[in-house]
Amino acid sequence: MEPSPWDPEGVEQSLDAEGLLLDKRAAHGLDLRALYKRMVAARLLDLRLARLGLPMWVPSAGEEAASVLSATLAGPEDWLYPSVRDLALAPIRGMDLDEFAQQVLGATYNGRPGAIAAADLGIGHAPEGLGMHLPLAAGQAHAQKLAGPGRMTAALFGEGLTTTAMFHETVALAVTCDLPLVLVCKSQLWPEGAPAEAGLLGDSVAERVKACGLWSRRVDGADVVGVYAALDQAFRRARDGRGPGLVEVVATRLHAGEKSADVPAHRDPLERLRRHLDREKQWTPTFQDVIEAEVRGQLDRAFTHAQRQSAEETR
């Protein structure tokens, strides 16, 4: 398939638009069927949250690879600092769905809807101030460095933050102090020109941070195998004491889980992975229906219980 304006340039492809695995080594140790289930669960969670009307909430459909794989690859002693679009990583890290629903609704953590945190699971809190979780992640990584190798911290964020002083100060800290910190930047392509509020600076984020001495990789967010390989390499480097890094994941936002008529289907990471599983005879409509029914049932039960409990407490 010929590349479209929606496909990022300068990235190595592992899983092509038709779901063909081009580099089987990149998928070594990765259970793609289990990953697909987690990706579907993340998409259904996004749709469920869309109905809650949470303040300051934005959809994350299309960005699942960064969140799901960060949580999948993070070890028990690692820390993750999610942005407001990365809530799906909490259940993967082991957060009970009832606790998750209560935190999202603002019932248990500072009373702020959409905030999640769990020190026992290595999930750092994202403060209300935009981008404040980046220096907090750097501080956590510094503590890990003092404790010795074998652990790292990852912070997830959108490319808009790369125009802020908070981002550049975090990069400076990471490089100067040689921190076990991985910055996971979710970028977007703008085939018809970026809006004024995007604040883009020309070159890719991965290229810009190289000037600061930061190791970096740029990957296609619709290619989950490529994202896996890049994050795995960055996380291992940080744990082994080989320095901080940045992985730029170029994703296509799919609003409320619906594909725009102008966005090619292969830009959806779930669809591309589904095509691969279909090729390998590991996907059927029944398999899909079972996953969705199970996840929807779990989410409905957890959020119904949390909303009922919240209503009783306010009486």
Side-chain angles (χ1 to χ4, degrees), residues 44 150 204 224 235 241:
L44 293 175
S204 70
V224 296
F235 286 10

Side-chain angles (χ1 to χ4, degrees), residues 82-106:
S83 72
V84 294
R85 300 203 300 266
D86 300 302
L87 302 184
L89 62 76
I92 297 174
R93 288 290 280 173
M95 182 178 288
D96 178 77
L97 274 181
D98 287 335
E99 171 66 17
F100 175 80
Q102 291 175 7
Q103 287 203 26
V104 168
L105 293 174

Side-chain angles (χ1 to χ4, degrees), residues 167-183:
F167 169 76
H168 292 284
E169 290 166 3
T170 300
V171 169
L173 279 171
V175 174
T176 302
C177 300
D178 199 28
L179 301 180
L181 176 67
V182 177
L183 300 172

